[in-house]
Structure formats: C-alpha cells, structure tokens
C-alpha cells in the first residue's frame, strides 16, 4: 500500500507546491492532515516562498476526510480521534496565511477536500471536476468550515441545496456560481495556479478570505426566509435525519454571529453528530457496501472473472422481464425464452415498457434505450442457447418444472455456462438434483422490480465452484447491482430473515391491535410501507406460497393466521384487484377499507389468543418491536448458521433488498444500537405470554448475556455456508 504523504516543492518562481499523495483519491487521513499542517508552517517560515499552490497527486485533488477514522470513533467512543482541522489548518494555516494560497483542483474535491479548497484564496479547476459536500449522507455535517464558506462563495440557496442533497456540481457550474475562479486544461493547471498565486501577492488579483465574504448571503431577513423554507422541507422529507436540521442551524448561526463563530459552532455540532445513532447507522452501511465484494475463497485466490457476453432468461413474467431489462441495460445480449408466442410478446412488451419508463423519468437517453433493446431476442425453443455464458431461470416456484429445465439446460448449454435460478425460497440442491453439473448451479435471486431494486443475492451450494460465484459477482457489478454472496437454505438470507415480519404483524392483529396502526408505525419507523400494505402490493398468492415454504422448514416458530385466507374467500387480492386491507383507485393513494373490520374480528375469533378475550394494550414502541424483534431473532439464526459471511452483509441486504432504513444501519446494526439485551429480554417476555414465535434464539441469548454485540464475528463458528 502506498504511503500517505504530503510533498513540498519550491520552484524558481518562489511558489511552494504542496501535493497531497494518498491514492486512490487522496483521502485526508491523519498523516495527510498532519503533513499539510507541517508543510503550510514550513511555507510560512521560509523567506524564499512568496506564494503557495495546494493540489493532489494523480489527477485528483481530494475525496475528503478518511471515513475509517469515524468508524474508529464509533468503536472506541473517543471523539478526540478526529483532529482539529477546521481552525488549526483551514483558518490559521491556510485562510489567514500571510502568503497567498491557490487550490489547483482536478478530478474531484469532495467533503473535506472541497473545504480545504474553499479555505484557499482562489480556486483554479479543470473542466468536469466534481465538487461537493456529501457529509450529510453519512449522518454528519461538513466539519472543516464547509457550512460557512460554501454559502459565502456560492450563494445561500444553492449551498443549502448542495449540502442537504449531498449532490455534487461540476467545476463548470461552480465557475458560473463563483465557487471556482477559472477553468483551465489539466496541462495548464499548475502553471496558471502558480501565476494566479503570485498575482494575488502582487495585488493584481483579489486576495479573498471566503469566511469574511457576505455579498452572496443577502440581508438577514432574506437569509432567514431561505433557511425557513429549507427547514420546512426537511421536516417533511427527512424527519429521522437530525443532521439536516443541524446543518441549517449551523449555517444560520454563522450568518447571525459571523463566519468564525459559525466555524466554532460547526465543530461543536459535528462532534455531537459523529456520535449519533444516525451517523453510526449510515457509516456502517457505507463500509458494509464496500465489504460485500470481498468473498473468502473466491475473490482472494487469484481467479479472473470470465466475460459474460450473452445470457438467456427463461420465463418472461414480472421477474424474468425485469432481469432481462437489467442485463440489456448492462450491455449484455439476452435471449428471452417463453413457452408460447402470447407469453413471449407479453414479456418483450414488459421489457420495452421498463426501458421507456427509465427514459421518461430521465434516467436513460433515447439512444441508450434503443441500443439496449437491440440486444434482446425472443425465442420459443433452446436453439439459441448453444453459445450462452449464463442462463437465469425465472419460472414459477414449481420444483419439478425447475428440475426439468435444469436437466435440459445441462444438455444444451456449453460446458462453461453458469446455470442460475431466480428462486426466492426453494433449496438449490433440490433444483439441481437431476443434473450432474452441480458445480455450475447457483442462485441469482433478484428483488422485484428486478431492473430497479439494487440487491442481487448470489446463493452458493456446497458444490458451486468459486469461478461461477466470481463470474456472477462480476455480472452483478456490470448491471449495477450490489451482489451479496449467501449460503443455501429455505429463503436464503433476506427472505429467511424477514419471514417473521408479516407473521409478527398478523399475531398483533389477532391480539387485538389495529391493522392500520401497525402499518402507520412501521412506516414512521422508516420502512416504505407497513406489512399489510406490502402484502396488498405483492398479492396474496405470494404470501400464501411463501408461508407454506417457511412453515415446512421452520415449523417450531411459525404463527399461522387465518386472516389472509378469510380475505381471499371474500374475493380480495390486494392491489391486483383493487381490494385488500386498502382500497386502490387509479390516481389516488391507497385508503384504509373499514369493511375489513368484520373479517378481522372473525380472524380474532378463530385464533382465540386475546388474553381473556380482550385486545392487549401496547405502546407504539412495543408494536414496532413486536414486529421487528422476531426479524432480529431470525437474523441471529442466519448469522449462527453462517448463511452470510459477515453481519454487515445482512445489513446491506436488508437495506437494499427490504428497504430497511439505511440511517438505522441495517437489521443487525440497528439491533446492536437498541441493545441485544433489550431485544432478548423483550422476546423472552413475549414468548412466555404469546408462545414460541417469540422464543429467543441461542445466538441472541448467548450474546445478550455475555454483552457481545450481535455483529461481532464469532470466534469459533462452524464452517460458513456462504464461504464453503
């Protein structure tokens, strides 16, 4: 690994060029920050230095502060690990320097990188350089003066928008708005920056300390109006994200009390936010997403991925057409097979609708859409399968049908071809039972809608080869999915972990809790919708089929509710036919349907689990926990059985596959923030009151009693199924 260092070179023109070197993005690690301080101090002392240029090596200025320091802060609880950059370096050494400092910016200046550049007296950039302050996406606010300088350089409205959305702008836009002083070619960057710095020193260019600028802020009343609008917006769109309101408060503080006071306030609030659960959750997801690509025994044994140029998808239904869409958008040729021309045309039409929908929403150009659709071919037989590199089977969940298909594929496809199934619950050993190529059989479980949802669960059996796993990981990345490798069991990692979710909700309803109260509270917690609206959306057939699979495998901890069968008997099928727990009318939001109340009462009568026949009295928090703690409990079993490589893989999968709120860090991280002991004692109490559905797992019990986090790696676990 290259050593993080800061280079220093004084030219014959008297300009000191200070260069940050920490590939790949010159992250501001602790040694870089210390090096910058030392180099700026040296430049200040030396009489042969007239001016200073700050830049980054390798065509990149800086990607920002080293986030692994935040992770250490979370692990140790020691905020002092974050150095004082804002005052000591940016204000004292750079902005208040007696010698002019120019930032020569190329490639990217993000987060702390942009904050350093804004502390300089001018900024010269290369075209298409990315400039942004994405700190809020990590649960914190800019901590090196960004909340104060960006509004003063860019204007308040645009600066607030950039920080709250964490979206970067290009240097070209930055030039128009006043953040960048000049745009030059990469070849000219250092030459122009050196001259500019000298001209500032000779007073032929303005010497601007951005913290003292006020012309772009407007009057106090105008500024307050902009900030008040932003506050209202944030209240609506981000009620769970304290960093958003905090950012607005800190900006306002600086406008009212002056830039330097704002910098001090920013540093204080930054340290509070670093220790917040939101920051812990978002930073956990940040690192977890980067860890999923490391698969022991696959990515670390020197294998090279094989190029998948042509793929086949069997089944053009909702999932098959979504998978085919994702593949053609990734520039992979696709053969879509169906059993008759009617189904085939319907599948192709769905793919065309998927692609045109992306064009309509501005996510894809018409030219790219046409190019993608030209890669699709519909077929009714296996003739085109002779040269495919990958087949994904996406037919209905029928064991004998899948077995027949895989037996046929083995005979027709070339010997290197990956044979994948998109099954969401059926054991892959059963799917591939009638083939002899079991090293090529793998699960490629997409989530609906497959061309939009970002998770790809890759399921390996004991016989799946490492090469097949690596190739599928590579395909996942090409089609812009996050591939998580998991072990083989009923429901695999995600559906297995979340099977108690709807059952816990049904148990509560049969204990007398209102359906719509449960949905409302789960939505307030941060999931896109509650469990009952989700059942409406998926259709009741899916819920019935999935429940059957799980009750066969996990009969010791199933709760069987008669409610769904009663709804089906009255002709309801959720959103599919416009009637479920909610009424669905075109053009309007789903509305609660009061006419289900007698059906709910009938379910409660048949279930007969209300204590003394009376509805239980529960708080809002208890409802959320009674729905989600059984999910945590199942996650513990998944960890214990080694179905995932690491706990953070399950966190990523829950966020990307089940839309678990990312600011809660994923299902395991959230449970650790709540505390394993609280989860355990709650489940134990409910198990005594309401039965085995809530019975704590051995893994949860052990860790709660010993005070070990659920996410901590096991010291001696059985061989993990996800890394066999």
């Amino acid at each position: 690994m290259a050593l993080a260092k800061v280079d220093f070179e004084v030219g014959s023109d008297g300009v000191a060029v200070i260069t940050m070197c920490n590939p790949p993005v010159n992250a501001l690690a602790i040694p870089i920050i210390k090096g910058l301080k030392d180099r700026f101090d040296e430049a200040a002392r030396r009489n042969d230095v007239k001016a200073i240029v700050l830049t980054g090596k390798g065509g990149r200025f800086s990607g920002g502060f080293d986030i692994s320091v935040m992770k250490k802060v979370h692990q140790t609880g020691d905020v002092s690990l974050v150095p004082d950059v804002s005052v000591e370096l940016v204000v004292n050494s750079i902005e208040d320097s007696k010698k002019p400092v120019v930032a020569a910016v190329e490639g990217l200046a993000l987060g702390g990188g942009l904050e350093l550049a804004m502390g300089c007296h001018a900024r010269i950039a290369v075209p298409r350089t990315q400039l942004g302050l994405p700190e809020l996406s990590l649960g914190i606010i800019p901590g090196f003066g960004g909340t104060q300088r960006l509004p003063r350089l860019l204007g308040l409205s645009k600066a607030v928008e950039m920080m709250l959305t964490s979206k970067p702008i290009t240097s070209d836009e930055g030039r128009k708005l006043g953040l960048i002083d000049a745009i030059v070619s990469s070849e000219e960057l250092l030459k122009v920056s050196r001259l500019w710095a000298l001209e500032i020193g000779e007073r032929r260019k303005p010497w601007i300390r951005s913290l003292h600028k006020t012309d772009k802020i407007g009057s106090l009343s105008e500024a307050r109006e902009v900030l008040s609008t932003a506050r209202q917006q944030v209240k609506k769109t981000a009620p769970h994200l304290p960093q958003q309101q905090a950012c607005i408060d800190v900006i306002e503080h600086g406008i009212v009390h002056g830039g330097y006071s704002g910098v001090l306030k920013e540093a204080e609030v930054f340290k509070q936010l670093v220790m917040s659960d939101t920051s812990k959750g978002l930073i956990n997801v940040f690192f977890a997403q980067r860890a999923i690509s490391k698969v022991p025994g696959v990515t670390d044994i020197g294998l090279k991925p094989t190029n998948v140029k042509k793929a086949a998808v069997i089944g053009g239904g909702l999932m098959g057409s979504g998978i085919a869409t994702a593949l053609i958008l990734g520039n992979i040729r696709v053969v879509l097979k169906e059993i008759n021309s009617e189904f085939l045309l319907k599948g192709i039409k769905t793919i065309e609708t998927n692609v045109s929908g992306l064009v309509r929403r501005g996510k894809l150009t018409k030219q790219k859409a046409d190019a993608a659709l030209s890669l699709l071919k519909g077929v009714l037989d296996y003739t085109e399968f002779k040269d495919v590199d990958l087949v994904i089977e996406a037919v209905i969940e029928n064991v004998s049908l899948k077995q027949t298909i895989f037996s046929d594929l083995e005979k027709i496809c070339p010997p290197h071809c990956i044979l994948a199934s998109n099954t969401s619950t059926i054991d892959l050993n059963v799917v591939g039972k009638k083939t002899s190529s079991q090293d090529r059989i793998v699960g490629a479980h997409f989530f609906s809608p497959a061309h939009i949802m970002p998770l790809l669960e890759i399921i390996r059996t004991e016989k799946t080869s490492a090469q097949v796993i690596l190739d599928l990981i590579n395909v996942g990345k090409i089609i812009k999915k996050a591939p998580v490798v998991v072990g083989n069991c009923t429901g695999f990692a995600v559906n297995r972990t979340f099977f108690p979710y709807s059952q816990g909700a049904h148990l509560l309803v049969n204990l007398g809790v209102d359906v719509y109260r449960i949905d409302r509270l789960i939505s307030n917690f941060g999931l896109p919708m509650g469990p009952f609206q989700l059942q409406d959306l998926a259709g009741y057939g899916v819920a019935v089929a999935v429940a059957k699979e799980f009750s066969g495998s996990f009969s010791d901890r199933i709760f069987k509710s008669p409610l769904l069968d009663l709804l089906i008997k009255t002709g309801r099928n959720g959103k599919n036919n416009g009637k479920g727990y909610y009424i669905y009318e075109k053009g309007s939001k789903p509305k609660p349907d009061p006419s289900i109340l007698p059906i709910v009462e009938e379910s409660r009568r048949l279930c007969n689990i209300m204590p003394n026949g009376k509805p239980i009295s529960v708080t809002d928090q208890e409802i959320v926990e009674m729905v989600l703690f059984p999910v945590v409990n199942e996650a513990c079993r998944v960890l214990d059985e080694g179905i995932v490589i690491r706990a953070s893989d399950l966190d990523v999968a829950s966020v990307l596959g089940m839309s678990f709120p990312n600011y809660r860090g994923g299902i395991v991280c959230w449970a650790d923030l709540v505390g394993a002991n609280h989860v355990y004692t709650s489940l134990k109490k409910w198990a005594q009151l309401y039965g085995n559905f809530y019975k704590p797992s051995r893994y949860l019990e052990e860790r709660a009693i010993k005070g070990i986090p659920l996410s901590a790696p096991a010291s001696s676990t059985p061989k993990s199924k996800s890394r066999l």
Side-chain angles (χ1 to χ4, degrees):
M1 206 172 144
L3 200 66
K5 65 189 173 88
V6 178
D7 287 340
F8 183 89
E9 192 183 332
V10 183
S12 57
D13 55 359
V15 176
V17 176
I18 295 175
T19 308
M20 299 174 277
C21 317
N22 187 15
V25 295
N26 299 322
L28 301 173
I30 304 291
I32 294 283
I33 288 164
K34 187 183 179 310
L36 284 169
K37 183 88 180 80
D38 293 345
R39 297 309 195 187
F40 272 99
D41 288 351
E42 185 182 344
R45 278 195 314 271
R46 281 175 58 162
N47 294 329
D48 59 336
V49 173
K50 294 186 213 162
I52 302 159
V53 168
L54 174 63
T55 193
K57 197 175 178 183
R60 291 186 170 105
F61 187 75
S62 171
F65 186 59
D66 179 2
I67 300 163
S68 64
V69 177
M70 310 287 192
K71 202 176 176 185
K72 282 201 186 86
V73 169
H74 293 161
Q75 286 161 347
T76 59
D78 182 5
V79 186
S80 69
L81 291 171
V82 180
D84 176 7
V85 178
S86 193
V87 173
E88 274 194 29
L89 176 62
V90 186
V91 174
N92 297 349
S93 300
I94 300 177
E95 194 165 49
D96 289 353
S97 160
K98 302 283 186 290
K99 297 171 185 179
V101 186
V102 170
V105 183
E106 186 172 4
L108 47 79
L110 300 173
L114 180 59
E115 291 178 284
L116 287 185
M118 289 192 294
C120 299
H121 306 120
R123 286 148 296 284
I124 314 299
V126 168
R128 293 181 297 283
T129 296
Q130 295 276 303
L131 311 167
L133 295 178
E135 285 88 346
L136 275 78
S137 65
L138 295 173
I140 52 178
I141 59 171
F144 303 166
T147 62
Q148 305 306 308
R149 290 189 184 86
L150 192 65
R152 285 166 170 76
L153 285 165
L154 204 59
L156 187 56
S157 283
K158 185 65 189 174
V160 168
E161 180 200 317
M162 264 180 79
M163 285 185 262
L164 294 184
T165 60
S166 292
K167 282 186 182 151
I169 59 170
T170 64
S171 49
D172 312 73
E173 195 182 342
R175 170 78 185 91
K176 286 186 198 118
L177 295 164
L179 178 57
I180 297 296
D181 295 283
I183 301 271
V184 299
S185 69
S186 183
E187 296 72 32
E188 295 276 291
L189 181 62
L190 276 179
K191 186 179 133 193
V192 173
S193 301
R194 299 174 89 115
L195 271 172
W196 201 289
L198 289 168
E199 288 184 344
I200 292 175
E202 291 158 6
R203 296 291 191 267
R204 289 192 294 152
K205 287 263 195 295
W207 189 317
I208 293 168
R209 292 154 76 207
S210 54
L211 200 56
H212 302 270
K213 263 170 71 74
T214 54
D215 56 307
K216 294 252 179 119
I217 299 288
S219 70
L220 188 56
S221 63
E222 285 168 335
R224 283 204 154 128
E225 198 171 317
V226 169
L227 296 174
S228 169
T229 306
R231 268 200 191 91
Q232 293 309 314
Q233 183 68 14
V234 162
K235 232 176 223 159
K236 269 191 232 144
T237 57
H240 294 289
L241 306 177
Q243 72 273 25
Q244 304 257 342
Q245 291 286 359
C247 184
I248 298 168
D249 292 345
V250 168
I251 294 168
E252 183 167 33
H253 182 96
I255 291 169
V256 175
H257 301 285
Y260 187 69
S261 180
V263 161
L264 298 178
K265 184 72 178 168
E266 178 194 85
E268 178 196 321
V269 172
F270 175 86
K271 287 194 169 172
Q272 290 163 7
L273 287 169
V274 167
M275 293 310 293
S276 69
D277 282 356
T278 308
S279 167
K280 288 173 184 171
L282 289 166
I283 287 173
N284 178 65
V285 172
F286 176 88
F287 283 106
Q289 282 189 267
R290 281 147 185 79
I292 55 175
S293 57
K294 298 180 178 82
V295 182
V298 173
T299 57
D300 57 357
I301 56 172
L303 292 175
K304 294 271 180 292
T306 318
N307 204 0
V308 171
K309 290 178 184 159
K310 183 178 175 184
V313 176
I314 301 176
L318 185 69
M319 285 309 291
S321 56
I323 294 166
T325 306
L327 291 166
I328 60 172
L329 290 172
N331 207 26
I332 295 170
R333 281 193 298 143
V334 172
V335 176
L336 180 71
K337 182 187 179 298
E338 256 299 356
I339 50 169
N340 62 42
S341 48
E342 184 197 338
F343 286 177
L344 183 60
L345 287 171
K346 196 177 168 193
I348 290 171
K349 194 159 176 37
T350 307
I351 294 166
E352 287 168 351
T353 305
N354 289 344
V355 172
S356 63
L358 293 170
V359 174
R360 203 173 52 249
R361 294 201 299 278
K363 307 261 180 183
L364 198 67
T365 63
K366 176 83 173 72
Q367 194 183 358
K368 282 188 176 167
D370 293 342
L373 288 168
S374 72
L375 298 170
L376 178 68
K377 183 176 183 180
V379 298
L380 295 170
D381 59 29
Y382 286 121
T383 320
E384 284 278 345
F385 282 54
K386 287 188 175 68
D387 60 345
V388 293
D389 306 303
L390 163 69
V391 180
I392 300 176
E393 164 275 305
V395 302
I396 55 169
E397 297 284 64
N398 176 313
V399 172
S400 62
L401 173 62
K402 286 180 193 283
Q403 286 178 337
T404 306
I405 288 169
F406 276 85
S407 174
D408 292 343
L409 290 174
E410 185 181 33
K411 298 182 191 99
I412 299 150
C413 299
H416 73 275
C417 177
I418 299 167
L419 307 176
S421 172
N422 178 55
T423 178
S424 55
T425 44
I426 301 169
D427 187 321
L428 284 172
N429 289 323
V430 177
V431 171
K433 199 175 178 183
K434 296 186 175 172
T435 69
S436 53
S437 313
Q438 293 190 0
D439 59 330
R440 291 194 277 153
I441 289 179
V442 66
H445 180 218
F446 290 77
F447 290 73
S448 185
H451 62 296
I452 291 171
M453 288 296 275
L455 183 66
L456 170 61
E457 235 182 349
I458 296 175
I459 302 103
R460 66 190 306 184
T461 70
E462 293 180 18
K463 291 176 181 157
T464 311
S465 79
Q467 186 67 53
V468 163
I469 299 292
L470 185 70
D471 292 349
L472 204 46
I473 289 172
N474 196 45
V475 169
K477 288 177 181 171
I478 289 167
I479 63 173
K480 297 187 169 62
K481 301 291 177 200
V484 176
V485 177
V486 303
N488 181 32
C489 65
T490 303
F492 317 125
V494 179
N495 286 345
R496 157 92 184 265
T497 297
F498 278 82
F499 91 81
Y501 173 64
S502 64
Q503 294 190 10
H506 274 270
L507 199 150
L508 278 171
V509 166
N510 285 295
L511 284 168
V513 182
D514 177 57
V515 163
Y516 305 111
R517 184 183 175 200
I518 295 168
D519 266 6
R520 189 180 70 253
L521 292 171
I522 293 296
S523 292
N524 290 349
F525 174 81
L527 280 132
M529 63 185 75
F532 298 103
Q533 198 184 337
L534 185 65
Q535 276 191 346
D536 271 0
L537 187 69
Y540 299 161
V542 172
V544 170
V546 168
K548 195 174 162 193
E549 280 297 324
F550 288 119
S551 58
S553 299
F554 311 119
S555 55
D556 60 322
R557 51 184 185 277
I558 288 291
F559 174 71
K560 285 184 179 160
S561 164
L563 181 53
L564 215 50
D565 289 336
L566 292 170
L567 288 169
I568 293 166
K569 271 184 198 149
T570 61
R572 290 168 191 264
N573 191 22
K575 198 178 176 186
N576 289 340
N577 69 354
K579 287 182 76 178
Y581 299 99
Y582 296 82
I583 297 166
Y584 297 86
E585 286 162 353
K586 221 177 180 138
S588 63
K589 284 183 174 175
K591 292 187 203 71
D593 184 357
S595 70
I596 68 154
L597 295 178
I599 305 168
V600 171
E601 283 306 326
E602 176 62 6
S603 175
R604 286 171 183 159
R605 191 187 64 75
L606 291 169
C607 230
N608 193 25
I609 57 168
M610 287 196 286
N612 307 317
K614 290 199 177 99
I616 62 166
S617 169
V618 275
T619 64
D620 288 355
Q621 186 184 332
E622 281 173 321
I623 288 173
V624 170
E625 292 177 349
M626 288 176 87
V627 172
L628 291 175
F629 283 2
V631 177
V632 171
N633 203 22
E634 199 59 37
C636 287
R637 293 186 179 98
V638 164
L639 293 173
D640 197 24
E641 292 169 30
I643 302 296
V644 288
I645 296 165
R646 50 186 88 77
S648 65
D649 286 4
L650 200 48
D651 284 333
V652 170
S654 67
V655 168
L656 300 182
M658 286 308 209
S659 302
F660 192 84
N662 62 349
Y663 53 83
R664 298 196 188 274
I667 191 70
V668 187
C669 176
W670 173 68
D672 275 337
L673 290 172
V674 168
N677 195 50
H678 175 56
V679 178
Y680 167 66
T681 51
S682 303
L683 286 168
K684 196 175 170 191
K685 176 181 78 183
W686 300 327
Q688 284 159 357
L689 291 169
Y690 312 119
N692 265 359
F693 174 74
Y694 288 112
K695 189 181 174 189
S697 63
R698 184 179 58 95
Y699 181 97
L700 173 61
E701 182 173 28
E702 275 178 10
R703 295 204 162 205
I705 290 166
K706 290 177 183 168
I708 304 168
L710 299 178
S711 56
S715 45
S716 56
T717 47
K719 199 172 185 193
S720 167
K721 290 188 184 178
S722 54
R723 52 167 105 190
L724 284 162

